Amino acid sequence: MSKEIKSYYDNFFQNRLEDLHKEGRYRVFADLERKVGNFPKATYRDGGTSREVTIWCSNDYLGMGQNEKVLKASCDAINSCGSGAGGTRNISGTTHYHVLLEESLADLHNKEAGLLFTSGYISNEAALSTLAKLLPDCAIFSDELNHASMIHGIKGSSSEKYIFRHNDVAHLEKLLSSVERCRPKIIAFESIYSMDGDIAPIKEICDLAEKYGAMTYIDEVHAVGMYGKRGGGIAEERGLMDRIDIIEGTLGKAFGVVGGYITGKKAMIDVVRSYASSFIFTTSLPPAVLAGALASVEHLKQSQIERMQHKERANKTKACLKAAGIPVIDNPSHIVPIMIGDPRLCKQASDLLMDKHDIYVQPINYPTVPRGTERLRITPSPLHSDADIEHLKNSICAVWEELNLSFDIDKNEDYRDNIVRIA
């Protein structure tokens, strides 16, 4: 390869990075080290220095990554079975922990079977692409704010897709009625949309699915462990699990470990197991991860204290920030989005919170959210103290004053009508 060609490639990629810097959405990873027993505190390292910061944006919603039962189960498994699974599920990688955890997850959602994946992203991509591809002439109906993993799976299926306006059941019905009744159909949506914190009209979507002969596929990743008597999610809380064909979830958020899964009818789950390339050709999760996840799922089936404490902390955080005039987007879930609407200002606010106030909360910019809706996303946990909440409020107020950001939530309440969609 000539020097000129090498230079072309180097310059091309460097220019693409410069584009991100100019737009204010170049992503920087913070060097954090969590300490067992001290969550949500962590050690932050930067330029050879270190100091303690408070994490306010973790998806370890209940602090189960620090739970003693989870830690013991993981340690016991690594001491008894070793570090790795040994291969893909087909090639020596199916351990007894896989069997136990899949049974536990199926039980959690009152389904016949479950299937584990290395992440929630892969579980969505694999399930949606496989099922829709196998169903002849399948049409998929997707909420416009569905996660990138769901969009990826839908695109990978090469099926005809219809995108309905966010949580708009009237628009969904209009689209369903435009498709021949004899065609297979899948309605794909989330229970909690993690950037706004709003909740899908699950019952109404199920009613339409039954009316038009469609399968229902729900992503419960931000709800499993958090809602319902046993942590089965919003569908369990509302008594609707039996009306959902496939429930997808994650082990990497409220359960505090890593991995994804789907649950449903045995034949449907077995089809994904047998046909999905991203499942078949991926090295399986190791025993220590599976054992920790199993301990977490089983604990949260029985224990209510973490959910109760979390709800109280989330409500208190929202109330405190709203009372101070901070522009929190109102919603019925545990998510606390604070609207900014500009990528550079969002990054500056995040940097100031870390540099001046020892608070870690990442800026949320495009493509995670549509352009013009950039925000901070606060996620309280049961382990955030009253002092932590007060410090968060005072720090955000100070940053808002320094950057001359608006405290007027009314300026942001209609943002959903003006954003550029990315679905």
Side-chain angles (χ1 to χ4, degrees), residues 1 30 43 53 56 60 69 80 115 117 141 145 149 199 252 259 267 300 325 339 361 399 401-402 407 409:
M1 186 184 296
T43 300
V53 299
W56 271 103
D60 185 2
K69 291 181 181 179
S80 62
L115 187 66
F117 298 83
F141 300 81
L145 293 188
S149 58
I199 295 175
L300 290 174
M339 186 58 65
V361 53
V399 168
E401 294 282 359
E402 183 168 348
F407 283 84
I409 187 62

Side-chain angles (χ1 to χ4, degrees), residues 271-308:
V271 158
V272 177
R273 183 190 71 87
S274 301
Y275 281 89
S277 293
S278 51
F279 172 81
I280 294 170
F281 297 104
T282 299
T283 298
S284 64
L285 291 167
V289 167
L290 300 168
L294 179 61
S296 184
V297 171
E298 289 298 314
H299 173 78
L300 290 174
K301 285 180 183 179
Q302 305 296 327
S303 176
Q304 303 299 322
I305 186 65
E306 291 85 2
R307 286 188 282 274
M308 292 172 58

Side-chain angles (χ1 to χ4, degrees), residues 94 117 183 216 281 360 395 397 407:
T94 296
F117 298 83
R183 289 181 64 183
T216 47
F281 297 104
Y360 175 64
S395 300
C397 286
F407 283 84

Side-chain angles (χ1 to χ4, degrees), residues 132-182:
K133 187 180 294 183
L134 288 175
L135 284 167
D137 199 24
C138 181
I140 301 183
F141 300 81
S142 174
D143 188 288
E144 67 179 333
L145 293 188
N146 275 343
H147 190 264
S149 58
M150 302 176 77
I151 296 170
H152 186 192
I154 292 167
K155 288 181 177 179
S157 73
S158 299
S159 298
E160 186 175 16
K161 67 176 179 180
Y162 296 82
I163 299 172
F164 60 93
R165 290 188 292 270
H166 180 53
N167 283 348
D168 188 335
V169 291
H171 188 222
L172 173 58
E173 179 163 26
K174 181 179 179 180
L175 294 175
L176 285 166
S177 65
S178 71
V179 175
E180 299 90 335
R181 286 184 174 270
C182 60

Side-chain angles (χ1 to χ4, degrees), residues 20-96:
L20 294 177
H21 281 288
K22 290 175 183 177
E23 293 177 33
R25 60 187 187 91
Y26 179 77
R27 297 177 184 232
V28 178
F29 296 157
D31 183 350
L32 297 168
E33 182 179 354
R34 305 203 309 177
K35 299 291 185 182
V36 173
N38 200 33
F39 185 76
K41 309 298 180 183
T43 300
Y44 169 61
R45 291 183 172 82
D46 180 37
T49 65
S50 64
R51 67 181 192 275
E52 185 179 83
V53 299
T54 303
I55 299 175
W56 271 103
C57 57
S58 174
N59 284 339
D60 185 2
Y61 293 131
L62 300 178
M64 291 301 291
Q66 307 275 309
N67 182 274
E68 291 183 3
K69 291 181 181 179
V70 174
L71 298 180
K72 183 179 186 304
S74 295
C75 290
D76 289 347
I78 202 168
N79 287 330
S80 62
C81 300
S83 60
T88 66
R89 292 290 296 273
N90 292 317
I91 305 175
S92 78
T94 296
T95 71
H96 188 51

Side-chain angles (χ1 to χ4, degrees), residues 2 11 59 110 114 191 269 312 325 351 412:
S2 69
N11 289 336
N59 284 339
N110 196 29
S191 60
I269 300 302
E312 186 274 331
D351 289 344
N412 300 313

